[in-house]
Amino acid sequence: MSWETVIGLEIHVQLATASKIFSGAATAYGAEPNTQACAVDLGLPGVLPVLNARVVEMAIRLGLALHAEIAPSSVFARKNYFYPDLPKGYQISQYELPIVARGRLPIRLADGREKVVRVTRAHLEEDAGKSVHDAYPGATGIDLNRAGTPLLEVVSEPDLRSAEEAVAYMRTMHMLVRYLGICDGNMQEGSFRCDANVSVRRAGSEVLGTRAEVKNLNSFRFLEKAINFEVERQIDLLESGGKVVQETRLYDADRDETRSMRSKEDAHDYRYFPDPDLLPIVVTPTQIERERALMPELPWARQQRYVTDYGLNVQDADALAQDRAVADYFEALAAAAGDARAAANWLNGEVFAALNRAGMEIPHCPVEPSALGLLIARVRDGTLSGSMAKQVFEAMWQGEGSADEVIEARGLRQVNDIGALAALIDGVIADSPSQVEQYRAGKDKLFGYFVGQVMKKSQGKANPQQVNDLLKEKLGGS
Amino acid sequence: MFAETVTAIAADLKAGRYSSADITEHYLARIAEFDPGLNSYITVCADEARAAAARADALLARGEGGPLTGVPYANKDIFCTRGIRTSCASRMLDNFIAPYDATVVEKLTGAGMVMLGKTNMDEFAMGSSNETSWYGPVRNPWDLSRVPGGSSGGSAAAVAARLAPVATGTDTGGSIRQPAALCGITGLKPTYGRVSRWGMIAFASSLDQGGPMALTAADLALLMNAMAGHCARDSTSVERPAEDFTRLLAQPLTGLRIGLPTQYFAAGLDPAMREAVDAAVGVLRALGADTVSVDLPHAGYAIPAYYVVASAECSSNLSRYDGVRFGHRCDDPRDLTDLYTRSRAEGFGAEVKRRILVGTYALSAGYYDAYYGKAQQLRRLIQQDFTRAFAGVDVILGPTTPTTAFELGQKTDDPLTMYLSDVYTTAANLAGLPALSMPAGLIGGLPAGVQLIGNYFDETRLLNVAHQYQQETAWHLARPPHA
Amino acid sequence: MSIGATEIEGIARLARIRIDAADVARYAGQLSQILTYIEAMNEVDTSGIEPLAHAIDAVAACRPDLVTETVDRATLQAGAPRVEEGYYLVPRVIE
């Protein structure tokens, strides 16, 4: 008796606009309650919605990235239901004619397997406000600052077959929307929220099982855990002769379980109808071409290019292409340094370590790619020994100047002169007769001791490769 | 001593024959004397009016006034007025002080007009008799035992009784034209999208349109110049080059082609009403117009289609009245459901509840296609009927209402009978066409109106026809006995 | 179309309007009458007719993405039935 898991994800992407989808109030996070809820957002008598042009541009951008159909005409519909965080008693959304339909998102799994997940549709809608349940005895507080924030709801086909695939899809979509500049992806602040529709069926069956919807999963980890719990719950239920109820559930992270949502009783009858206050959204080929011209290179295209053109391995390529700002930095660095592998190593190593220590994001990195590129070039051309490079980088980070300036100021030029090195080595050999004897008698490990002595004597500036060669020559074979 | 029409008052103010303060006091005094018997005002704004009059007089003294500066007017209590109660004649909004002005109010205040107060109406604009108001019915100044019509009954009665020279109204299924006809005044429903709906509390969004109600067509034209125009806050308002609605008033009617729908002159039309309409047609023919029969085959379906669309849209538009952020809230709600269900049960009257229920039903699962979908299809057929008709005529003419003003309480027990008063008016709302009602006679001492329907954005033609008619006749100057 | 008590109760629930038992029958009767009248629409063959949602042919109005509203919370909340520290309060909702 084996079971197959079937998952579809609905992701609410909060679009990064300055103002709301239908009003001119601000969308900034964290304001005092109801200080960003204007008359339109409050649904006061007599108010009317006016569409924010930018949200259409953002929707087109996502549609292009997903290779989807962008509707030349799409319609806003009212979704009618009563809830205190929904001021008008209806949500302006899209129903029969969404702006984007039939797209696809390629995902890659840990074992390298690739899969194309179909995206059914993406539609525009307004977000609801927020409820605060524990602040006032016997009451719930309503904050409508978030009401009217633009959302793009992206719905996938039930093509996902495991929690792993679901997480990969969510991660990929997360990366994409940030890449496109349409969403800041801040899950703690609720900019990117996921609902999972989960069902199971007998392996080999073509029929979909009854699904349960788990709402508002705002981390990859919670998505994974919620799905795992839910799958097990459903299998247990079915194996013991029960039936899965189509319902909405919430994931409780503390208990690692999903539970039924009490407040959403009965199947809702949303009574959708086209919103008479809004005219259909018309998207022209010219608008689409304009967005296409403004599209950044997509993350998977970049990943591919890093493997093909720069010779990076798939994992490194993925890691660097994840974030558009990082990828931009990497490419500039690779060009400046003339060495993509070195650039990758530096970025993943010293640069990220320094950024993390400073609690900074890459756009604020005090070392420009061109400057770091020069440092890398200096190591390659022998001016600076590799072991000194980290010190120079730290100095550059502190604003002491360019790589060349720091090298000069601190006198860190690598000693490459054979004559000078030979003299140094002779000095070390002369100072360490017993070690020389032991080494020549067969104690190979002592080679490191001699290297260490030479480096110490040269204050770390000796060219390690040349030291190696010369030492071998002078000490003789063992 | 004081003139009664907007046109004459404006001329008098400009000439300095009296001041805005003078004529404002005059109207306030008349309201105090006559309105207790009519109940046409919900809120009288005496202090604000006097302040506005003073400001207008200052402008006039400097020679800076415009065509409407200093002229008093009233606003139907459906238009939001900042700092002043805006009730929609409902208990639900009895305590609602609007925090902003409707665009219409902004424009008319901007034109220097003096707001006397907020007029009574059917609750949330739902009704044809002004009997559903939380503040009590309005009485027809022609016969106090009769209705003034609705939903803009307060505005119509106030203008007819000379308690304001002009008032704003709104028209969703006939709510400007029908009360204008029953009260013997002239009212215009503009083309959909002409007048901004920002701040005009919504009943049925795709049908609602604000418009002026006055004693003459010339007055309507002056008001339209100030009221009409694109509004960035209303996505359904249309952008058109600026126009002067008075520009065609004086045009002779020679060659005007008037369409008479066979469906409007069918056997069931009351003979006295028929006579009045025929007389009006006679006047227009004498002025040079030609008449021809036109066919509006789907005219009989306008009311059912209208009721479905209007109820469906209002059921959604009125969901925001939930006792949470403003308006009426029930005492001691037990839980959220109780808060909603009891606040709304207490806040809304029976007609409003009925329409919300009908609309909710029409949109509910399984019924959408049969009701809302079907109604919107009929709407297109009705629009096509008009398009075909207007290919051969300039205006369409018929009675505004089937009868003159009926008695208070006569139709309140039977909602369906009440709905049928809108038989001639609803089609224009469904198609979005401009339509006007003008007084055309008295039947048994009660006013009868004739309706003119125009092609899209052709208000100036309607105003022209009405103005020329009013140069030849005196029905629009008749004064009701109770004013 | 005949509407019965159960249907009225269902519709009233969807519309969040409390209707007392004593009034249910009356509303049911009135709605039945109204809906039966409305069904006259079915006399017309509308197959193939595109629904008319907007009377005037126009394109969606858009505004630029700018913050244009400064929210005067005090004024907007002046008529609120119950407000505390800027929050609108309703009876406790259990999720």
Side-chain angles (χ1 to χ4, degrees):
Chain A
M1 180 94 60
S2 79
W3 295 92
E4 185 181 42
T5 301
V6 175
I7 302 159
L9 294 186
E10 286 168 20
I11 297 179
H12 289 87
V13 177
Q14 215 172 68
L15 298 178
T17 54
S19 64
K20 299 203 176 167
I21 185 172
F22 295 118
S23 83
T27 55
Y29 184 83
E32 285 295 299
N34 291 305
T35 53
Q36 281 175 189
C38 69
V40 173
D41 302 325
L42 293 175
L44 293 188
V47 298
L48 295 169
V50 182
L51 181 63
N52 181 334
R54 190 100 184 87
V55 313
V56 178
E57 292 166 10
M58 289 180 164
I60 294 172
R61 215 172 253 222
L62 184 67
L64 288 172
L66 296 176
H67 299 284
E69 291 164 28
I70 297 166
S73 177
S74 64
V75 171
F76 281 112
R78 294 189 184 178
K79 180 179 182 182
N80 296 280
Y81 66 96
F82 285 87
Y83 204 68
D85 67 7
L86 193 68
K88 296 187 291 296
Y90 60 86
Q91 177 195 31
I92 302 177
S93 178
Q94 295 191 295
Y95 184 55
E96 287 178 334
L97 287 175
I99 189 165
V100 167
R102 283 175 290 280
R104 57 185 192 272
L105 185 72
I107 63 174
R108 188 174 8 237
L109 299 152
D111 62 3
R113 186 167 54 96
E114 291 184 0
K115 179 166 178 159
V116 172
V117 180
R118 294 170 301 165
V119 174
T120 318
R121 55 187 270 152
H123 67 255
L124 289 168
E125 59 184 26
E126 56 179 349
D127 209 345
K130 277 191 186 162
S131 306
V132 166
H133 297 295
D134 302 309
Y136 303 96
T140 292
I142 307 293
D143 174 14
L144 296 170
N145 281 346
R146 199 181 64 178
T149 305
L151 294 177
L152 199 51
E153 181 176 330
V154 186
V155 182
S156 83
E157 292 284 341
D159 288 351
L160 303 161
R161 293 287 171 270
S162 66
E164 194 209 343
E165 288 187 11
V167 171
Y169 175 87
M170 189 180 173
R171 280 189 186 282
T172 310
M173 187 66 74
H174 185 254
M175 171 179 68
L176 179 61
V177 299
R178 289 169 66 231
Y179 241 79
L180 295 174
I182 67 176
C183 175
D184 68 13
N186 187 327
M187 290 188 273
Q188 277 88 328
E189 290 182 359
S191 307
F192 189 87
R193 315 195 289 259
C194 184
D195 297 342
N197 288 305
V198 184
S199 68
V200 296
R201 63 184 177 191
R202 296 253 179 253
S205 165
E206 300 271 305
V207 178
L208 289 174
T210 309
R211 65 170 201 266
E213 184 187 13
V214 186
K215 287 194 84 65
N216 272 330
L217 298 157
N218 66 354
S219 80
F220 305 123
R221 221 175 113 251
F222 289 169
L223 175 67
E224 185 182 5
K225 282 166 154 311
I227 291 173
N228 287 335
F229 177 89
E230 192 50 27
V231 166
E232 207 178 301
R233 182 188 76 86
Q234 292 189 16
I235 291 174
D236 283 349
L237 196 54
L238 292 168
E239 277 179 347
S240 63
K243 276 200 167 115
V244 175
V245 173
Q246 182 171 333
E247 62 180 347
T248 308
R249 298 175 75 84
L250 280 181
Y251 176 67
D252 181 340
D254 297 327
R255 295 210 188 116
D256 188 23
E257 61 182 28
T258 66
R259 357 175 256 286
S260 198
M261 272 181 86
R262 279 172 58 187
S263 60
K264 307 250 174 174
E265 5 85 8
D266 308 280
H268 276 285
D269 182 352
Y270 293 120
R271 307 184 296 288
Y272 285 100
F273 72 103
D275 194 322
D277 290 328
L278 291 163
L279 298 168
I281 310 170
V282 167
V283 174
T284 62
T286 313
Q287 277 172 289
I288 295 178
E289 286 323 303
R290 190 180 43 196
E291 284 309 309
R292 201 193 298 276
L294 293 170
M295 287 276 281
E297 186 184 13
L298 293 182
W300 32 90
R302 264 182 138 148
Q303 283 157 6
Q304 188 53 49
R305 195 156 56 74
Y306 293 174
V307 170
T308 324
D309 296 355
Y310 291 145
L312 296 188
N313 65 42
V314 170
Q315 286 88 323
D316 284 348
D318 273 2
L320 290 169
Q322 273 294 307
D323 179 293
R324 193 169 154 195
V326 168
D328 287 346
Y329 190 102
F330 165 66
E331 291 189 32
L333 183 58
D339 182 344
R341 283 240 180 78
N345 291 336
W346 268 93
L347 196 44
N348 284 327
E350 291 304 321
V351 177
F352 272 125
L355 286 169
N356 287 337
R357 273 196 302 274
M360 233 182 239
E361 297 289 322
I362 202 153
H364 302 292
C365 179
V367 180
E368 295 281 323
S370 52
L372 180 53
L374 208 66
L375 172 57
I376 296 172
R378 286 289 169 263
V379 173
R380 215 175 56 247
D381 69 21
T383 309
L384 185 68
S385 96
S387 56
M388 288 282 121
K390 182 173 171 177
Q391 200 191 117
V392 175
F393 176 72
E394 277 162 14
M396 289 166 70
W397 185 280
Q398 295 304 329
E400 282 181 33
S402 69
D404 285 339
E405 284 163 359
V406 173
I407 291 170
E408 274 318 306
R410 293 193 183 188
L412 298 176
R413 277 190 162 271
Q414 186 165 241
V415 179
N416 298 322
D417 179 48
I418 307 277
L421 288 174
L424 262 174
I425 287 170
D426 290 341
V428 165
I429 287 176
D431 287 341
S432 324
S434 71
Q435 289 88 341
V436 171
E437 208 183 301
Q438 289 173 54
Y439 177 77
R440 283 182 178 148
K443 205 166 182 189
D444 293 343
K445 280 194 212 144
L446 279 174
F447 190 80
Y449 164 80
F450 291 109
V451 172
Q453 288 300 305
V454 172
M455 294 313 279
K456 202 166 132 194
K457 252 206 156 137
S458 72
Q459 289 144 334
K461 291 187 279 194
N463 181 323
Q465 189 57 52
Q466 286 171 343
V467 164
N468 243 287
D469 296 342
L470 279 172
L471 264 176
K472 276 210 185 92
E473 216 184 281
K474 287 184 181 287
L475 287 172
S478 65
Chain B
M1 152 172 160
F2 292 103
E4 293 188 334
T5 65
V6 172
T7 307
I9 292 169
D12 286 350
L13 289 173
K14 195 164 175 195
R17 281 190 272 278
Y18 42 80
S19 65
S20 176
D22 292 334
I23 193 162
T24 299
E25 272 329 307
H26 165 72
Y27 278 106
L28 289 173
R30 283 189 63 81
I31 291 168
E33 185 178 350
F34 294 104
D35 202 49
L38 296 172
N39 200 27
S40 67
Y41 279 85
I42 291 175
T43 303
V44 178
C45 306
D47 292 336
E48 292 88 348
R50 289 177 180 127
R55 284 193 297 273
D57 281 331
L59 282 173
L60 288 163
R62 296 201 295 270
E64 284 170 18
L68 293 169
T69 308
V71 177
Y73 83 114
N75 269 314
K76 182 176 182 180
D77 207 12
I78 197 172
F79 288 99
C80 287
T81 41
R82 188 197 309 267
I84 293 168
R85 173 175 59 185
T86 302
S87 74
C88 261
S90 179
R91 184 182 183 193
M92 184 59 84
L93 293 179
D94 179 46
N95 68 357
F96 179 65
I97 309 291
Y100 71 102
D101 277 332
T103 296
V104 162
V105 174
E106 240 173 46
K107 281 172 169 285
L108 295 178
T109 311
M113 295 191 84
V114 174
M115 184 176 78
L116 295 165
K118 311 297 293 296
T119 57
N120 207 343
M121 51 184 280
D122 275 306
E123 188 184 1
F124 281 105
M126 299 181 206
S128 305
S129 64
N130 217 135
E131 291 177 284
T132 65
S133 166
W134 171 245
Y135 303 98
V138 175
R139 291 166 188 280
N140 191 320
W142 288 88
D143 179 338
L144 299 178
S145 70
R146 292 179 183 268
V147 303
S151 61
S152 311
S155 287
V159 171
R162 276 58 173 177
L163 303 188
V166 61
T168 55
T170 62
D171 191 312
T172 305
S175 292
I176 284 177
R177 294 160 285 156
Q178 186 252 24
L182 299 194
C183 288
I185 66 167
T186 313
L188 172 69
K189 179 199 87 69
T191 310
Y192 185 84
R194 268 285 197 201
V195 172
S196 172
R197 293 188 300 113
W198 171 258
M200 193 177 101
I201 296 174
F203 159 21
S205 317
S206 76
L207 303 168
D208 293 343
Q209 196 48 199
M213 304 173 72
L215 296 171
T216 69
D219 284 357
L220 299 182
L222 281 175
L223 265 284
M224 279 300 285
N225 279 349
M227 281 175 85
H230 178 252
C231 174
R233 291 184 185 267
D234 175 0
S235 297
T236 58
S237 88
V238 295
E239 194 139 19
R240 288 180 70 81
E243 69 182 279
D244 177 3
F245 289 90
T246 66
R247 75 181 187 279
L248 291 181
L249 287 175
Q251 186 170 274
L253 300 189
T254 340
L256 176 76
R257 300 166 303 164
I258 300 176
L260 304 174
T262 46
Q263 289 81 5
Y264 289 178
F265 293 87
L269 178 59
D270 172 72
M273 184 63 75
R274 169 113 209 199
E275 205 181 305
V277 178
D278 284 346
V281 171
V283 170
L284 294 171
R285 280 207 192 101
L287 286 172
D290 295 311
T291 61
V292 67
S293 255
V294 293
D295 189 21
L296 300 175
H298 299 96
Y301 301 100
I303 296 186
Y306 163 76
Y307 266 90
V308 173
V309 172
S311 301
E313 291 181 7
C314 91
S315 72
S316 178
N317 283 331
L318 269 63
S319 292
R320 67 192 64 200
Y321 303 107
D322 57 10
V324 175
R325 301 166 310 293
F326 58 87
H328 179 77
R329 175 186 280 210
C330 62
D331 292 331
D332 305 316
R334 279 193 317 274
D335 54 35
L336 186 65
T337 304
D338 188 42
L339 171 69
Y340 286 150
T341 59
R342 207 150 42 92
S343 298
R344 289 162 65 77
E346 291 170 7
F348 293 139
E351 182 61 29
V352 169
K353 283 183 187 140
R354 245 188 313 269
R355 298 208 195 187
I356 291 175
L357 293 175
V358 170
T360 304
Y361 181 79
L363 291 173
S364 64
Y367 293 108
Y368 181 94
D369 288 338
Y371 291 105
Y372 193 76
K374 186 82 179 177
Q376 297 285 54
Q377 287 176 308
L378 262 172
R379 196 172 176 176
R380 184 162 309 267
L381 289 174
I382 288 168
Q383 186 190 51
Q384 286 172 358
D385 286 354
F386 279 113
T387 307
R388 245 177 273 116
F390 279 115
V393 302
D394 304 310
V395 298
I396 289 171
L397 183 151
T400 307
T401 57
T403 65
T404 54
F406 44 91
E407 283 171 2
L408 287 156
Q410 185 180 332
K411 300 190 184 186
T412 44
D413 286 340
D414 188 352
L416 202 50
T417 310
M418 186 71 83
Y419 298 167
L420 295 173
S421 347
D422 297 332
V423 64
Y424 300 114
T425 48
T426 50
N429 300 85
L430 288 167
L433 294 167
L436 172 155
S437 178
M438 59 189 188
L442 287 172
I443 301 172
L446 295 170
V450 148
Q451 179 181 227
L452 300 169
I453 304 173
N455 210 341
Y456 295 105
F457 304 108
D458 208 13
E459 289 87 347
T460 48
R461 171 105 62 177
L462 298 179
L463 294 166
N464 163 228
V465 176
H467 179 73
Q468 290 303 312
Y469 177 80
Q470 288 175 347
Q471 304 304 104
E472 290 301 309
T473 58
W475 301 115
H476 59 289
L477 298 172
R479 285 177 128 265
H482 304 280
Chain C
M1 166 65 80
S2 182
I3 301 289
T6 323
E7 268 131 333
I8 291 290
E9 279 155 16
I11 300 165
R13 195 165 36 242
L14 271 180
R16 295 298 190 274
I17 298 177
R18 189 173 87 170
I19 298 188
D20 294 329
D23 298 326
V24 170
R26 181 162 47 86
Y27 277 110
Q30 288 172 341
L31 250 74
S32 300
Q33 197 193 14
I34 292 167
L35 290 168
T36 303
Y37 170 70
I38 282 171
E39 274 148 27
M41 291 196 300
N42 295 329
E43 290 164 15
V44 182
D45 180 7
T46 53
S47 33
I49 303 293
E50 190 64 31
L52 183 68
H54 296 277
I56 308 298
D57 215 357
V59 176
C62 271
R63 30 167 272 274
D65 183 27
L66 296 168
V67 175
T68 53
E69 299 290 333
T70 38
V71 173
D72 175 1
R73 189 175 72 180
T75 305
L76 292 175
Q77 291 189 332
R82 220 184 135 195
V83 163
E84 226 151 299
E85 296 172 315
Y87 288 99
Y88 295 100
L89 293 193
V90 298
R92 185 95 155 77
V93 176
I94 324 266
E95 228 156 49

